[in-house]
Amino acid sequence: MPVMTYMEASRQALAEEMRRDPMVWAVGEDLGRGGVFGQYRGLIDEFGADRISDAPISESCILGAAVGAAMMGTRPVVEMRFSDFALCAVDELVNQAAKARYMFGGQTRVPLVVREPIGMWRSSAAQHSQSLEAWYAHIPGLVVAVPATPADNKALLKAAIRCDDPVVYMEHKGLWPLEGEVPAGDVVGEFGKARLVREGGDVTIVSWSAAVHTVAEAAVRLAEEGIDAEVIDLRTLWPWDQGAVLGSVGRTGRLLVVQEAVAVAGFGAEVAAFVAERLHKALKAPVKRLGAPRIPISYAPVLEDEVRVRTEAVVAAARGLVEY
Amino acid sequence: MPSGESSPATNLDVNRHLAQFRQMCRIREFEKAAIKAANERLVLGAIHPSIGQEAIAVGVCSNLRRDDIILSTHRGHGHTMAKGADALAMMRELFGRAGGYSQGKGGSMHIADFSVGMLGANGVVAANINIAAGAAHAIRLKGEDRVVVCFFGDGAINRGPFLEGLNWAGVFRLPILFVCEDNGFAATTRTHAMTAGDGPAARAEALGIKAEIVDGNDLFAVDAAARELIGIVRKGTPRFLLARTYRLTGHTSADTAPYRPQEEVAERWLNDPIDNCRGVLERAGVAAAELAAIARGAEDEMRQAYEMARDSAWPARELAYADVQDVGDPREVAF
């Protein structure tokens, strides 16, 4: 299997989808130059400026125009550079894209993908570092994808582009250079299908996006201590693989949810509550969440690291559940 | 005005203008019936009548093809009907009944009829401007010769999408006609009190989009301006039409508009666009009885629509769960 970066995988997915379907086009700031992270590099040479389209710095119009263009039968891939900037276009995403199909009684679909890079990226500070996935999981009508690996970034982006409903597609900035095996050819992901990162019988650790890698590291350390952690990467938060999580926690009796985002009202709360409601009697320990404290992300590395969920914290939390 | 023996209006295309007169009457009667229904609590949500603004909707839309696109506002009944939507399906939607355009999920502010190119009323002021820009962008990408007309009010020019959408249309040379219906009020506040600078046309011109100003209560003036501008737009150049008018009712059917003097409103009723149109047609030789029959026909049609909507069933409960999105069935995961 070819090895490539998370960034290259997404570029390949977009290029393949644009070749397959002439109605797919990308629009956003600085796409002609390749995008902030290089995820569009070279595409303008193959597809031209109409389909790899540079937009003014008008987030509201980029997303609003994508809504109109999607209603007219094209399939826009919208680039927001940072999920923080997509907040300038929340009306267009939440009030327009997410609702149009429903409030117009099914007369239209809004098949757009909005790419919103999330997460901490060294010293990017409070307006370039947020993980806002829970906001969108809360909104009826939106699909939320949070790929953690190069393979998933290819497969899920393809699925997002083919989806007839609006997809909030959240790539993690820290993952762009991550290398991994990516299946060649037209492999299309499935929303709501988790990835079993590692099997284990002692504790279930559920995570998504970059935090999956922290959890995987923690699982290796836990194994050295004789604790077998089962690690689940949700891959998409709406829909999310409730069956996989219930099945796993049903076996292990212990659940730890790990997210980079602020823990308060985060998606981890949804997973925790869902499991607690259904598996109360099967639980051997209280459900546990790990996430950032409710403070903005800082600039200085030492302050930034203060909110980061580290491997040691995951190990300690999992150990605590097993020893409960 | 041409001089000579003939009536100044004899060069009118009478059949065209009779059809426009009829459409204006239909819009007026639809909204009168809707207001009556709102007063009777048959319409449950807010409705925003466009009484007094009918000439703009009709004058613009009668220059569009069926496959052309319009985007409307929260005050969108007139635009929607002028584009060819079905009055009964609209009335049913206002009543929240089965057979409404959105199956009772939208109401007045979310009426759409995609089959006639009406891509939606919108409950958020100015939000339709960006969507319209995108619809026009798609037309350009596909190499079609359709046009988009985006209606909005004078209140919308103070929201960001006005700037962003007009800039977008100019940058990408999109086939879009922006129609600003300047009725003087942003909800219940006089717009000029909230607007810096010289207003809508000046702002459009500042963004490089040529603007034309027209009397929005003169159907014939709107019709002529729209015909010319839509011709230009169809070749791929955005244009802006500022139509000055007046909202003869309150902001919503429940708004008695105490914020403006009765004398002002009474004076504005003397400039009713439907009466203006009737006067021109009469002077052109159309019998008053024929015009009265058209008005009566519109009244009868809308009374029937009202009665049929009132007698229509509520939507099936199951529809609450339909058309949310393809994945993640809300019935399975809500509880």
mmCIF file of all heavy atoms in Angstrom, chain A residues 54 58 60-61 64-65 68 72 92 96 101-107 109 141-142 165 238 242 278, chain B residues 101-103 110 112-114 122 127 130-131 134 141-142 164 172 320 322-323 325-327 333 335:
data_model
loop_
_atom_site.group_PDB
_atom_site.id
_atom_site.type_symbol
_atom_site.label_atom_id
_atom_site.label_comp_id
_atom_site.label_asym_id
_atom_site.label_seq_id
_atom_site.Cartn_x
_atom_site.Cartn_y
_atom_site.Cartn_z
ATOM 1 N N ASP A 54 -10.093 30.762 -6.186
ATOM 2 C CA ASP A 54 -9.680 31.699 -5.135
ATOM 3 C C ASP A 54 -10.837 32.622 -4.800
ATOM 4 O O ASP A 54 -11.420 33.240 -5.683
ATOM 5 C CB ASP A 54 -8.509 32.546 -5.635
ATOM 6 C CG ASP A 54 -7.183 31.841 -5.439
ATOM 7 O OD1 ASP A 54 -7.071 31.066 -4.472
ATOM 8 O OD2 ASP A 54 -6.278 32.052 -6.254
ATOM 9 N N SER A 58 -13.942 36.496 2.557
ATOM 10 C CA SER A 58 -15.365 36.734 2.806
ATOM 11 C C SER A 58 -15.981 35.409 3.244
ATOM 12 O O SER A 58 -16.726 34.782 2.498
ATOM 13 C CB SER A 58 -16.069 37.189 1.519
ATOM 14 O OG SER A 58 -15.577 38.397 1.039
ATOM 15 N N SER A 60 -18.302 34.519 5.087
ATOM 16 C CA SER A 60 -19.746 34.448 5.008
ATOM 17 C C SER A 60 -20.199 34.189 3.577
ATOM 18 O O SER A 60 -21.078 33.371 3.317
ATOM 19 C CB SER A 60 -20.288 35.768 5.565
ATOM 20 O OG SER A 60 -21.607 35.950 5.250
ATOM 21 N N CYS A 61 -19.581 34.862 2.635
ATOM 22 C CA CYS A 61 -19.991 34.674 1.241
ATOM 23 C C CYS A 61 -19.450 33.365 0.670
ATOM 24 O O CYS A 61 -20.121 32.727 -0.130
ATOM 25 C CB CYS A 61 -19.563 35.845 0.371
ATOM 26 S SG CYS A 61 -20.484 35.909 -1.180
ATOM 27 N N GLY A 64 -21.965 30.956 2.060
ATOM 28 C CA GLY A 64 -23.304 31.236 1.520
ATOM 29 C C GLY A 64 -23.378 30.933 0.037
ATOM 30 O O GLY A 64 -24.358 30.358 -0.445
ATOM 31 N N ALA A 65 -22.349 31.322 -0.687
ATOM 32 C CA ALA A 65 -22.328 31.039 -2.119
ATOM 33 C C ALA A 65 -22.297 29.539 -2.361
ATOM 34 O O ALA A 65 -22.927 29.028 -3.299
ATOM 35 C CB ALA A 65 -21.122 31.712 -2.773
ATOM 36 N N GLY A 68 -25.839 28.271 -2.218
ATOM 37 C CA GLY A 68 -26.580 28.525 -3.461
ATOM 38 C C GLY A 68 -26.090 27.647 -4.593
ATOM 39 O O GLY A 68 -26.881 27.097 -5.370
ATOM 40 N N MET A 72 -28.009 24.508 -6.730
ATOM 41 C CA MET A 72 -28.093 24.528 -8.194
ATOM 42 C C MET A 72 -27.439 23.306 -8.831
ATOM 43 O O MET A 72 -27.222 23.274 -10.046
ATOM 44 C CB MET A 72 -27.428 25.799 -8.728
ATOM 45 C CG MET A 72 -28.164 27.061 -8.358
ATOM 46 S SD MET A 72 -29.738 27.252 -9.226
ATOM 47 C CE MET A 72 -29.137 27.695 -10.858
ATOM 48 N N GLU A 92 -24.562 30.983 7.633
ATOM 49 C CA GLU A 92 -24.643 30.265 6.364
ATOM 50 C C GLU A 92 -24.610 28.751 6.559
ATOM 51 O O GLU A 92 -25.264 28.008 5.833
ATOM 52 C CB GLU A 92 -23.486 30.699 5.450
ATOM 53 C CG GLU A 92 -23.642 32.096 4.869
ATOM 54 C CD GLU A 92 -23.422 33.230 5.858
ATOM 55 O OE1 GLU A 92 -22.909 32.996 6.980
ATOM 56 O OE2 GLU A 92 -23.759 34.380 5.509
ATOM 57 N N GLN A 96 -28.628 28.145 7.231
ATOM 58 C CA GLN A 96 -28.961 27.958 5.812
ATOM 59 C C GLN A 96 -28.659 26.524 5.361
ATOM 60 O O GLN A 96 -29.565 25.763 5.076
ATOM 61 C CB GLN A 96 -28.219 28.979 4.943
ATOM 62 C CG GLN A 96 -28.284 30.423 5.456
ATOM 63 C CD GLN A 96 -29.684 31.027 5.470
ATOM 64 O OE1 GLN A 96 -30.569 30.599 4.725
ATOM 65 N NE2 GLN A 96 -29.919 32.011 6.319
ATOM 66 N N ARG A 101 -32.850 21.769 3.447
ATOM 67 C CA ARG A 101 -33.570 20.584 3.000
ATOM 68 C C ARG A 101 -34.853 20.411 3.805
ATOM 69 O O ARG A 101 -35.918 20.129 3.253
ATOM 70 C CB ARG A 101 -32.669 19.356 3.170
ATOM 71 C CG ARG A 101 -33.369 18.063 2.813
ATOM 72 C CD ARG A 101 -32.415 16.884 2.967
ATOM 73 N NE ARG A 101 -33.139 15.627 2.828
ATOM 74 C CZ ARG A 101 -32.582 14.442 3.013
ATOM 75 N NH1 ARG A 101 -31.297 14.356 3.331
ATOM 76 N NH2 ARG A 101 -33.291 13.343 2.882
ATOM 77 N N TYR A 102 -34.758 20.595 5.088
ATOM 78 C CA TYR A 102 -35.907 20.365 5.979
ATOM 79 C C TYR A 102 -36.949 21.471 5.827
ATOM 80 O O TYR A 102 -38.125 21.212 5.616
ATOM 81 C CB TYR A 102 -35.419 20.310 7.423
ATOM 82 C CG TYR A 102 -36.461 19.846 8.407
ATOM 83 C CD1 TYR A 102 -36.692 18.483 8.622
ATOM 84 C CD2 TYR A 102 -37.227 20.747 9.134
ATOM 85 C CE1 TYR A 102 -37.644 18.044 9.530
ATOM 86 C CE2 TYR A 102 -38.185 20.319 10.040
ATOM 87 C CZ TYR A 102 -38.382 18.969 10.236
ATOM 88 O OH TYR A 102 -39.327 18.532 11.137
ATOM 89 N N MET A 103 -36.505 22.726 5.925
ATOM 90 C CA MET A 103 -37.501 23.802 5.961
ATOM 91 C C MET A 103 -38.134 24.054 4.602
ATOM 92 O O MET A 103 -39.184 24.682 4.549
ATOM 93 C CB MET A 103 -36.919 25.070 6.585
ATOM 94 C CG MET A 103 -35.901 25.801 5.782
ATOM 95 S SD MET A 103 -35.175 27.128 6.808
ATOM 96 C CE MET A 103 -34.078 27.863 5.624
ATOM 97 N N PHE A 104 -37.535 23.549 3.529
ATOM 98 C CA PHE A 104 -38.182 23.626 2.230
ATOM 99 C C PHE A 104 -38.886 22.297 1.892
ATOM 100 O O PHE A 104 -39.196 22.016 0.731
ATOM 101 C CB PHE A 104 -37.188 24.002 1.128
ATOM 102 C CG PHE A 104 -36.577 25.378 1.314
ATOM 103 C CD1 PHE A 104 -35.258 25.623 0.988
ATOM 104 C CD2 PHE A 104 -37.334 26.435 1.816
ATOM 105 C CE1 PHE A 104 -34.695 26.890 1.166
ATOM 106 C CE2 PHE A 104 -36.784 27.705 1.997
ATOM 107 C CZ PHE A 104 -35.450 27.930 1.669
ATOM 108 N N GLY A 105 -39.114 21.498 2.889
ATOM 109 C CA GLY A 105 -39.904 20.282 2.704
ATOM 110 C C GLY A 105 -39.289 19.263 1.759
ATOM 111 O O GLY A 105 -39.996 18.539 1.072
ATOM 112 N N GLY A 106 -37.955 19.200 1.740
ATOM 113 C CA GLY A 106 -37.310 18.181 0.912
ATOM 114 C C GLY A 106 -37.174 18.574 -0.550
ATOM 115 O O GLY A 106 -36.767 17.761 -1.371
ATOM 116 N N GLN A 107 -37.476 19.841 -0.885
ATOM 117 C CA GLN A 107 -37.363 20.257 -2.294
ATOM 118 C C GLN A 107 -35.920 20.365 -2.751
ATOM 119 O O GLN A 107 -35.640 20.364 -3.946
ATOM 120 C CB GLN A 107 -38.025 21.617 -2.511
ATOM 121 C CG GLN A 107 -39.524 21.613 -2.396
ATOM 122 C CD GLN A 107 -40.078 22.982 -2.799
ATOM 123 O OE1 GLN A 107 -40.026 23.372 -3.948
ATOM 124 N NE2 GLN A 107 -40.602 23.698 -1.834
ATOM 125 N N ARG A 109 -31.475 19.786 -1.765
ATOM 126 C CA ARG A 109 -30.372 19.243 -0.981
ATOM 127 C C ARG A 109 -29.249 20.267 -1.023
ATOM 128 O O ARG A 109 -29.175 21.062 -1.954
ATOM 129 C CB ARG A 109 -29.861 17.936 -1.603
ATOM 130 C CG ARG A 109 -30.887 16.797 -1.609
ATOM 131 C CD ARG A 109 -31.200 16.356 -0.205
ATOM 132 N NE ARG A 109 -31.948 15.115 -0.170
ATOM 133 C CZ ARG A 109 -31.401 13.900 -0.057
ATOM 134 N NH1 ARG A 109 -30.093 13.762 0.015
ATOM 135 N NH2 ARG A 109 -32.158 12.832 -0.006
ATOM 136 N N GLY A 141 -29.011 18.194 10.708
ATOM 137 C CA GLY A 141 -28.783 18.430 9.287
ATOM 138 C C GLY A 141 -27.330 18.336 8.867
ATOM 139 O O GLY A 141 -27.039 18.175 7.690
ATOM 140 N N LEU A 142 -26.418 18.441 9.835
ATOM 141 C CA LEU A 142 -24.995 18.402 9.492
ATOM 142 C C LEU A 142 -24.390 17.031 9.772
ATOM 143 O O LEU A 142 -24.726 16.389 10.772
ATOM 144 C CB LEU A 142 -24.222 19.447 10.300
ATOM 145 C CG LEU A 142 -24.614 20.913 10.075
ATOM 146 C CD1 LEU A 142 -23.786 21.818 10.985
ATOM 147 C CD2 LEU A 142 -24.448 21.310 8.617
ATOM 148 N N ASP A 165 -25.843 15.649 1.733
ATOM 149 C CA ASP A 165 -26.117 16.604 2.801
ATOM 150 C C ASP A 165 -24.832 17.356 3.156
ATOM 151 O O ASP A 165 -23.738 16.885 2.871
ATOM 152 C CB ASP A 165 -26.641 15.862 4.046
ATOM 153 C CG ASP A 165 -28.022 15.294 3.800
ATOM 154 O OD1 ASP A 165 -28.833 15.982 3.168
ATOM 155 O OD2 ASP A 165 -28.289 14.151 4.226
ATOM 156 N N TRP A 238 -21.141 12.802 13.785
ATOM 157 C CA TRP A 238 -22.533 12.602 13.379
ATOM 158 C C TRP A 238 -22.549 12.086 11.973
ATOM 159 O O TRP A 238 -22.120 12.805 11.101
ATOM 160 C CB TRP A 238 -23.415 13.859 13.484
ATOM 161 C CG TRP A 238 -24.819 13.373 13.322
ATOM 162 C CD1 TRP A 238 -25.558 13.303 12.153
ATOM 163 C CD2 TRP A 238 -25.610 12.766 14.336
ATOM 164 N NE1 TRP A 238 -26.755 12.698 12.397
ATOM 165 C CE2 TRP A 238 -26.819 12.364 13.713
ATOM 166 C CE3 TRP A 238 -25.413 12.506 15.699
ATOM 167 C CZ2 TRP A 238 -27.833 11.713 14.446
ATOM 168 C CZ3 TRP A 238 -26.426 11.875 16.409
ATOM 169 C CH2 TRP A 238 -27.621 11.498 15.775
ATOM 170 N N GLN A 242 -22.515 4.272 17.617
ATOM 171 C CA GLN A 242 -22.973 3.949 18.970
ATOM 172 C C GLN A 242 -22.866 2.450 19.251
ATOM 173 O O GLN A 242 -22.543 2.035 20.365
ATOM 174 C CB GLN A 242 -24.418 4.428 19.121
ATOM 175 C CG GLN A 242 -24.508 5.940 19.031
ATOM 176 C CD GLN A 242 -25.802 6.433 18.414
ATOM 177 O OE1 GLN A 242 -26.526 5.671 17.765
ATOM 178 N NE2 GLN A 242 -26.093 7.697 18.596
ATOM 179 N N ARG A 278 -27.443 3.681 28.943
ATOM 180 C CA ARG A 278 -27.775 2.344 28.445
ATOM 181 C C ARG A 278 -27.060 1.206 29.163
ATOM 182 O O ARG A 278 -27.526 0.081 29.148
ATOM 183 C CB ARG A 278 -27.472 2.281 26.941
ATOM 184 C CG ARG A 278 -28.515 3.031 26.121
ATOM 185 C CD ARG A 278 -27.978 3.379 24.745
ATOM 186 N NE ARG A 278 -28.989 4.095 23.972
ATOM 187 C CZ ARG A 278 -29.265 5.397 24.134
ATOM 188 N NH1 ARG A 278 -28.601 6.102 25.012
ATOM 189 N NH2 ARG A 278 -30.204 5.979 23.407
ATOM 190 N N TYR B 101 -46.002 23.985 0.540
ATOM 191 C CA TYR B 101 -44.731 23.824 -0.177
ATOM 192 C C TYR B 101 -43.680 23.099 0.647
ATOM 193 O O TYR B 101 -42.854 22.366 0.118
ATOM 194 C CB TYR B 101 -44.191 25.178 -0.617
ATOM 195 C CG TYR B 101 -44.662 25.570 -1.997
ATOM 196 C CD1 TYR B 101 -45.464 26.680 -2.211
ATOM 197 C CD2 TYR B 101 -44.305 24.803 -3.100
ATOM 198 C CE1 TYR B 101 -45.888 27.030 -3.489
ATOM 199 C CE2 TYR B 101 -44.712 25.128 -4.375
ATOM 200 C CZ TYR B 101 -45.509 26.242 -4.565
ATOM 201 O OH TYR B 101 -45.922 26.568 -5.820
ATOM 202 N N SER B 102 -43.661 23.348 1.946
ATOM 203 C CA SER B 102 -42.667 22.685 2.795
ATOM 204 C C SER B 102 -43.320 21.629 3.690
ATOM 205 O O SER B 102 -42.773 21.278 4.732
ATOM 206 C CB SER B 102 -41.931 23.719 3.653
ATOM 207 O OG SER B 102 -41.275 24.659 2.849
ATOM 208 N N GLN B 103 -44.485 21.180 3.285
ATOM 209 C CA GLN B 103 -45.221 20.160 4.056
ATOM 210 C C GLN B 103 -45.480 20.636 5.481
ATOM 211 O O GLN B 103 -45.475 19.848 6.431
ATOM 212 C CB GLN B 103 -44.458 18.839 4.073
ATOM 213 C CG GLN B 103 -44.085 18.370 2.673
ATOM 214 C CD GLN B 103 -43.282 17.097 2.697
ATOM 215 O OE1 GLN B 103 -43.846 16.019 2.834
ATOM 216 N NE2 GLN B 103 -41.971 17.210 2.596
ATOM 217 N N HIS B 110 -40.291 30.473 4.968
ATOM 218 C CA HIS B 110 -39.464 29.449 4.320
ATOM 219 C C HIS B 110 -40.177 28.839 3.118
ATOM 220 O O HIS B 110 -40.012 27.660 2.819
ATOM 221 C CB HIS B 110 -39.074 28.368 5.326
ATOM 222 C CG HIS B 110 -38.412 28.929 6.545
ATOM 223 N ND1 HIS B 110 -37.276 29.719 6.470
ATOM 224 C CD2 HIS B 110 -38.731 28.894 7.843
ATOM 225 C CE1 HIS B 110 -36.921 30.111 7.674
ATOM 226 N NE2 HIS B 110 -37.793 29.632 8.532
ATOM 227 N N ALA B 112 -40.628 27.995 -0.630
ATOM 228 C CA ALA B 112 -39.780 27.855 -1.808
ATOM 229 C C ALA B 112 -40.543 27.040 -2.830
ATOM 230 O O ALA B 112 -41.385 26.216 -2.460
ATOM 231 C CB ALA B 112 -38.471 27.141 -1.453
ATOM 232 N N ASP B 113 -40.277 27.288 -4.077
ATOM 233 C CA ASP B 113 -40.789 26.420 -5.131
ATOM 234 C C ASP B 113 -39.674 26.248 -6.143
ATOM 235 O O ASP B 113 -39.517 27.056 -7.062
ATOM 236 C CB ASP B 113 -42.046 27.020 -5.774
ATOM 237 C CG ASP B 113 -42.614 26.091 -6.850
ATOM 238 O OD1 ASP B 113 -41.959 25.072 -7.176
ATOM 239 O OD2 ASP B 113 -43.708 26.383 -7.365
ATOM 240 N N PHE B 114 -38.884 25.208 -5.927
ATOM 241 C CA PHE B 114 -37.727 24.988 -6.787
ATOM 242 C C PHE B 114 -38.156 24.688 -8.220
ATOM 243 O O PHE B 114 -37.382 24.905 -9.141
ATOM 244 C CB PHE B 114 -36.844 23.872 -6.207
ATOM 245 C CG PHE B 114 -35.976 24.362 -5.068
ATOM 246 C CD1 PHE B 114 -36.530 24.716 -3.846
ATOM 247 C CD2 PHE B 114 -34.600 24.506 -5.232
ATOM 248 C CE1 PHE B 114 -35.734 25.197 -2.800
ATOM 249 C CE2 PHE B 114 -33.792 24.987 -4.206
ATOM 250 C CZ PHE B 114 -34.360 25.331 -2.983
ATOM 251 N N ASN B 122 -36.359 33.700 3.111
ATOM 252 C CA ASN B 122 -35.322 33.508 4.122
ATOM 253 C C ASN B 122 -35.637 34.320 5.365
ATOM 254 O O ASN B 122 -35.948 35.497 5.282
ATOM 255 C CB ASN B 122 -33.954 33.924 3.548
ATOM 256 C CG ASN B 122 -32.831 33.169 4.216
ATOM 257 O OD1 ASN B 122 -32.713 33.188 5.447
ATOM 258 N ND2 ASN B 122 -32.031 32.483 3.433
ATOM 259 N N ALA B 127 -29.261 37.163 4.276
ATOM 260 C CA ALA B 127 -28.624 35.856 4.073
ATOM 261 C C ALA B 127 -28.808 35.368 2.635
ATOM 262 O O ALA B 127 -27.965 34.643 2.099
ATOM 263 C CB ALA B 127 -29.188 34.830 5.054
ATOM 264 N N ASN B 130 -25.876 36.143 -0.309
ATOM 265 C CA ASN B 130 -24.754 35.236 -0.570
ATOM 266 C C ASN B 130 -25.204 33.971 -1.291
ATOM 267 O O ASN B 130 -24.493 33.448 -2.156
ATOM 268 C CB ASN B 130 -24.089 34.837 0.750
ATOM 269 C CG ASN B 130 -23.268 35.969 1.348
ATOM 270 O OD1 ASN B 130 -22.853 36.873 0.637
ATOM 271 N ND2 ASN B 130 -23.045 35.916 2.646
ATOM 272 N N ILE B 131 -26.360 33.481 -0.911
ATOM 273 C CA ILE B 131 -26.860 32.263 -1.570
ATOM 274 C C ILE B 131 -27.138 32.554 -3.044
ATOM 275 O O ILE B 131 -26.826 31.751 -3.928
ATOM 276 C CB ILE B 131 -28.110 31.735 -0.846
ATOM 277 C CG1 ILE B 131 -27.761 31.396 0.614
ATOM 278 C CG2 ILE B 131 -28.674 30.513 -1.556
ATOM 279 C CD1 ILE B 131 -28.966 31.014 1.470
ATOM 280 N N GLY B 134 -24.079 32.503 -4.987
ATOM 281 C CA GLY B 134 -23.659 31.131 -5.267
ATOM 282 C C GLY B 134 -24.471 30.489 -6.376
ATOM 283 O O GLY B 134 -23.934 29.736 -7.198
ATOM 284 N N LEU B 141 -20.440 28.572 -13.797
ATOM 285 C CA LEU B 141 -19.584 27.376 -13.894
ATOM 286 C C LEU B 141 -20.131 26.394 -14.923
ATOM 287 O O LEU B 141 -19.379 25.717 -15.624
ATOM 288 C CB LEU B 141 -19.500 26.675 -12.531
ATOM 289 C CG LEU B 141 -18.606 27.308 -11.461
ATOM 290 C CD1 LEU B 141 -18.771 26.575 -10.136
ATOM 291 C CD2 LEU B 141 -17.145 27.295 -11.894
ATOM 292 N N LYS B 142 -21.454 26.308 -14.993
ATOM 293 C CA LYS B 142 -22.073 25.349 -15.917
ATOM 294 C C LYS B 142 -22.232 25.912 -17.325
ATOM 295 O O LYS B 142 -22.674 25.212 -18.225
ATOM 296 C CB LYS B 142 -23.436 24.918 -15.362
ATOM 297 C CG LYS B 142 -23.324 24.115 -14.058
ATOM 298 C CD LYS B 142 -24.557 23.261 -13.814
ATOM 299 C CE LYS B 142 -25.498 23.879 -12.840
ATOM 300 N NZ LYS B 142 -26.640 23.022 -12.495
ATOM 301 N N GLU B 164 -20.365 41.471 1.059
ATOM 302 C CA GLU B 164 -19.650 40.284 0.582
ATOM 303 C C GLU B 164 -20.251 39.741 -0.710
ATOM 304 O O GLU B 164 -19.542 39.342 -1.632
ATOM 305 C CB GLU B 164 -19.633 39.211 1.677
ATOM 306 C CG GLU B 164 -18.855 39.657 2.916
ATOM 307 C CD GLU B 164 -18.499 38.508 3.851
ATOM 308 O OE1 GLU B 164 -18.537 37.339 3.434
ATOM 309 O OE2 GLU B 164 -18.171 38.783 5.025
ATOM 310 N N PHE B 172 -16.503 37.898 -9.723
ATOM 311 C CA PHE B 172 -16.668 36.733 -10.606
ATOM 312 C C PHE B 172 -17.558 37.020 -11.819
ATOM 313 O O PHE B 172 -17.879 36.105 -12.585
ATOM 314 C CB PHE B 172 -17.207 35.539 -9.805
ATOM 315 C CG PHE B 172 -16.224 35.009 -8.784
ATOM 316 C CD1 PHE B 172 -16.409 35.224 -7.431
ATOM 317 C CD2 PHE B 172 -15.105 34.305 -9.196
ATOM 318 C CE1 PHE B 172 -15.498 34.734 -6.486
ATOM 319 C CE2 PHE B 172 -14.183 33.812 -8.273
ATOM 320 C CZ PHE B 172 -14.378 34.029 -6.914
ATOM 321 N N ALA B 320 -42.210 15.005 10.752
ATOM 322 C CA ALA B 320 -41.251 15.750 11.587
ATOM 323 C C ALA B 320 -39.851 15.153 11.464
ATOM 324 O O ALA B 320 -38.857 15.859 11.599
ATOM 325 C CB ALA B 320 -41.686 15.745 13.045
ATOM 326 N N ALA B 322 -38.677 13.487 8.766
ATOM 327 C CA ALA B 322 -38.229 13.304 7.379
ATOM 328 C C ALA B 322 -37.415 14.502 6.911
ATOM 329 O O ALA B 322 -37.628 15.631 7.357
ATOM 330 C CB ALA B 322 -39.448 13.120 6.479
ATOM 331 N N ASP B 323 -36.506 14.233 6.009
ATOM 332 C CA ASP B 323 -35.715 15.279 5.353
ATOM 333 C C ASP B 323 -34.806 16.059 6.295
ATOM 334 O O ASP B 323 -34.524 17.234 6.067
ATOM 335 C CB ASP B 323 -36.635 16.252 4.583
ATOM 336 C CG ASP B 323 -37.064 15.664 3.257
ATOM 337 O OD1 ASP B 323 -36.210 15.085 2.574
ATOM 338 O OD2 ASP B 323 -38.258 15.766 2.921
ATOM 339 N N GLN B 325 -31.612 14.656 7.330
ATOM 340 C CA GLN B 325 -30.398 14.340 6.579
ATOM 341 C C GLN B 325 -30.408 12.844 6.327
ATOM 342 O O GLN B 325 -31.221 12.118 6.907
ATOM 343 C CB GLN B 325 -29.131 14.780 7.322
ATOM 344 C CG GLN B 325 -28.937 14.146 8.675
ATOM 345 C CD GLN B 325 -27.787 14.790 9.466
ATOM 346 O OE1 GLN B 325 -28.006 15.473 10.429
ATOM 347 N NE2 GLN B 325 -26.558 14.546 9.050
ATOM 348 N N ASP B 326 -29.499 12.391 5.483
ATOM 349 C CA ASP B 326 -29.549 10.986 5.081
ATOM 350 C C ASP B 326 -29.073 10.042 6.177
ATOM 351 O O ASP B 326 -29.505 8.909 6.245
ATOM 352 C CB ASP B 326 -28.675 10.774 3.835
ATOM 353 C CG ASP B 326 -29.352 11.332 2.591
ATOM 354 O OD1 ASP B 326 -30.598 11.429 2.597
ATOM 355 O OD2 ASP B 326 -28.649 11.671 1.639
ATOM 356 N N VAL B 327 -28.171 10.512 7.030
ATOM 357 C CA VAL B 327 -27.549 9.605 7.986
ATOM 358 C C VAL B 327 -27.967 9.940 9.411
ATOM 359 O O VAL B 327 -28.222 11.098 9.735
ATOM 360 C CB VAL B 327 -26.015 9.642 7.880
ATOM 361 C CG1 VAL B 327 -25.546 9.043 6.563
ATOM 362 C CG2 VAL B 327 -25.504 11.056 8.025
ATOM 363 N N VAL B 333 -31.994 7.810 17.776
ATOM 364 C CA VAL B 333 -30.937 8.276 18.660
ATOM 365 C C VAL B 333 -31.338 9.440 19.555
ATOM 366 O O VAL B 333 -30.539 9.910 20.342
ATOM 367 C CB VAL B 333 -29.689 8.676 17.854
ATOM 368 C CG1 VAL B 333 -29.095 7.461 17.194
ATOM 369 C CG2 VAL B 333 -30.052 9.713 16.823
ATOM 370 N N PHE B 335 -33.616 9.527 21.972
ATOM 371 C CA PHE B 335 -34.145 9.306 23.318
ATOM 372 C C PHE B 335 -33.358 8.246 24.095
ATOM 373 O O PHE B 335 -32.764 7.391 23.518
ATOM 374 C CB PHE B 335 -35.620 8.902 23.236
ATOM 375 C CG PHE B 335 -36.410 9.806 22.351
ATOM 376 C CD1 PHE B 335 -36.880 9.387 21.132
ATOM 377 C CD2 PHE B 335 -36.628 11.127 22.728
ATOM 378 C CE1 PHE B 335 -37.589 10.241 20.301
ATOM 379 C CE2 PHE B 335 -37.333 11.989 21.904
ATOM 380 C CZ PHE B 335 -37.807 11.544 20.683
#
